[in-house]
Amino acid sequence: MTFTEQSRPAAPTAPAGRVVELGHPWRGVGPFLFAAHHVDAYPAGNEQMGPAAGVADRELGSDFGHPSGWNMYHGRTVPGFPAHPHRGFETITIVRRGVVDHADSTGASARYGDGDVQWVTAGRGVSHSEMFPLLDTDSDNPFELYQIWLNLPARDKTADPEFTMQWREDIPVVTRGEDGSRAVVRVIAGRFDDATALAPPTHSWAADPASDVAIWLVDLEPGAVIDLPAADAGTARLLYVHGTGAGVEIDGVAVGSGQGFEQSRKAALHVVNGDSPATILVLQGAEIGEPVVQYGPFVMNSAEEIQQAFDDYRRTGFGGWPWPSDAPVHARSETRFARYPDGRVERPRH
């Protein structure tokens, strides 16, 4: 049997990517170094805004992976991460549930949470603390946070530190589908259809139009369907699928909770959710195209620059620490705010 050009069947189209295991923390893609996802079922808080359930059974200062379902991390009274340095990259912190108290070596501070995003360009060096006060004394304090590390190009690794806030009221949201089977996209970086994210910090890799950086947080109700737009040629993209019982099909490929879909060719992606709610964190961006040398909290282009970062931190503390403790928290009554190094105070609109 022979086929004419008109009747010849089309060759099957290969999927646009492959399933990958994410690891812990989740592996990065393109300019993204990694993403950490913290979910803690914190109990009611005590007078110090720590867990009323007590911490006597914990290895305080390094309490991770606790079987109780919540962790103190490096905190001793309040859960969280007391003062620690960064240089040469950016942190993007998305708080879905709970509250984060921020303080840093520039004198800036903030309280944010329940959908807010903080974006910090460490640049030439900053020390900051991120504590998770348990504000509710009468009921549990559920907590969920993503922290994403985004590299900086060499030209911006010595930029002044900067942080910006994205209050949840201002973050663009795109909704597809009907109630009960909706897909809701929060546009944290880049564009999604006609929605453009808020501006990143001045020296962010995401501020360069050639970077094609996007961060989308996609919540899928059971049965939801959504198409993700194609990325630019040369852009790396990874979809992180998670949620209890979650499972989706991406371009016809089954991806379960705790797995990722790494896109390998430029194409729009057709996403179909299964029978349980699912969340997909989408990270994409063009490679910076420079050597990456990471040691702990420093990300530079050479081993010599890493050594210089350690030397500078020991000598200067990246500006010193203007707070009375290495794990400061704000008063329980404080509401969401950001105080910048110039003294300007910003609060979300209501």
Side-chain angles (χ1 to χ4, degrees):
M1 182 176 181
T2 60
F3 295 92
T4 65
E5 286 301 316
Q6 289 76 20
S7 63
R8 189 180 302 277
T13 302
R18 64 188 181 94
V19 177
V20 296
E21 298 301 323
L22 296 177
H24 183 76
W26 295 341
R27 53 172 290 188
V29 64
F32 292 95
L33 301 165
F34 69 80
H37 184 213
H38 298 292
V39 180
D40 291 278
Y42 288 121
N46 59 22
E47 290 184 0
Q48 291 76 40
M49 291 177 280
V55 295
D57 60 336
R58 306 218 168 219
E59 187 178 351
L60 293 180
S62 187
D63 178 40
F64 288 77
H66 202 279
S68 66
W70 56 273
N71 305 280
M72 290 295 290
Y73 299 108
H74 294 307
R76 295 181 178 276
T77 301
V78 173
F81 295 84
H84 56 282
H86 292 308
R87 173 180 276 189
F89 66 100
E90 303 179 88
T91 59
I92 301 145
T93 306
I94 306 167
V95 184
R96 303 218 73 184
R97 295 179 295 171
V99 167
V100 172
D101 279 0
H102 167 90
D104 69 38
S105 55
T106 72
S109 61
R111 169 168 285 174
Y112 63 102
D114 292 329
D116 299 328
V117 176
Q118 186 193 63
W119 196 315
V120 176
T121 301
R124 60 181 169 79
V126 66
S127 293
H128 72 160
S129 69
E130 301 159 294
M131 307 308 296
F132 313 148
L134 308 183
L135 302 184
D136 200 325
T137 59
D138 297 323
S139 62
D140 292 344
N141 289 272
F143 184 82
E144 183 179 7
L145 172 150
Y146 305 85
Q147 187 166 93
I148 302 161
W149 285 24
L150 175 61
N151 200 9
L152 284 168
R155 67 175 183 261
D156 292 317
K157 287 185 180 293
T158 55
D160 289 340
E162 179 185 4
F163 90 85
T164 61
M165 290 300 311
Q166 295 188 6
W167 304 113
R168 64 173 178 263
E169 294 87 348
D170 301 324
I171 295 173
V173 176
V174 176
T175 302
R176 295 284 182 269
E178 302 297 327
D179 189 24
S181 60
R182 294 176 305 172
V184 179
V185 183
R186 288 168 175 81
V187 185
I188 295 163
R191 291 179 56 85
F192 189 96
D193 292 349
D194 294 330
T196 301
L198 302 174
T202 307
H203 292 280
S204 172
W205 178 235
D208 186 332
S211 72
D212 198 27
V213 165
I215 302 172
W216 305 324
L217 194 58
V218 185
D219 288 309
L220 302 169
E221 294 178 343
V225 176
I226 191 167
D227 291 316
L228 305 184
D232 291 346
T235 294
R237 177 189 278 174
L238 184 58
L239 284 67
Y240 304 76
V241 178
H242 52 292
T244 302
V248 302
E249 281 194 357
I250 302 173
D251 197 40
V253 176
V255 187
S257 180
Q259 293 182 315
F261 183 85
E262 187 170 17
Q263 191 162 353
S264 56
R265 63 178 173 84
K266 181 180 178 181
L269 293 179
H270 186 63
V271 180
V272 180
N273 191 27
D275 297 331
S276 299
T279 299
I280 303 176
L281 173 66
V282 181
L283 301 181
Q284 73 169 47
E287 294 276 4
I288 293 174
E290 298 172 352
V292 177
V293 180
Q294 178 182 348
Y295 193 96
F298 306 136
V299 182
M300 305 302 293
N301 299 112
S302 69
E304 292 77 15
E305 290 173 337
I306 292 289
Q307 185 59 56
Q308 186 64 55
F310 276 101
D311 292 345
D312 291 347
Y313 178 62
R314 282 192 290 264
R315 188 180 71 256
T316 69
F318 292 160
W321 188 249
W323 306 97
S325 81
D326 66 352
V329 293
H330 307 299
R332 188 187 304 275
S333 59
E334 184 62 85
T335 57
R336 296 150 60 219
F337 78 97
R339 179 177 290 107
Y340 294 91
D342 63 3
R344 177 173 56 93
V345 175
E346 174 184 275
R347 294 189 184 272
R349 62 183 178 86
H350 293 288

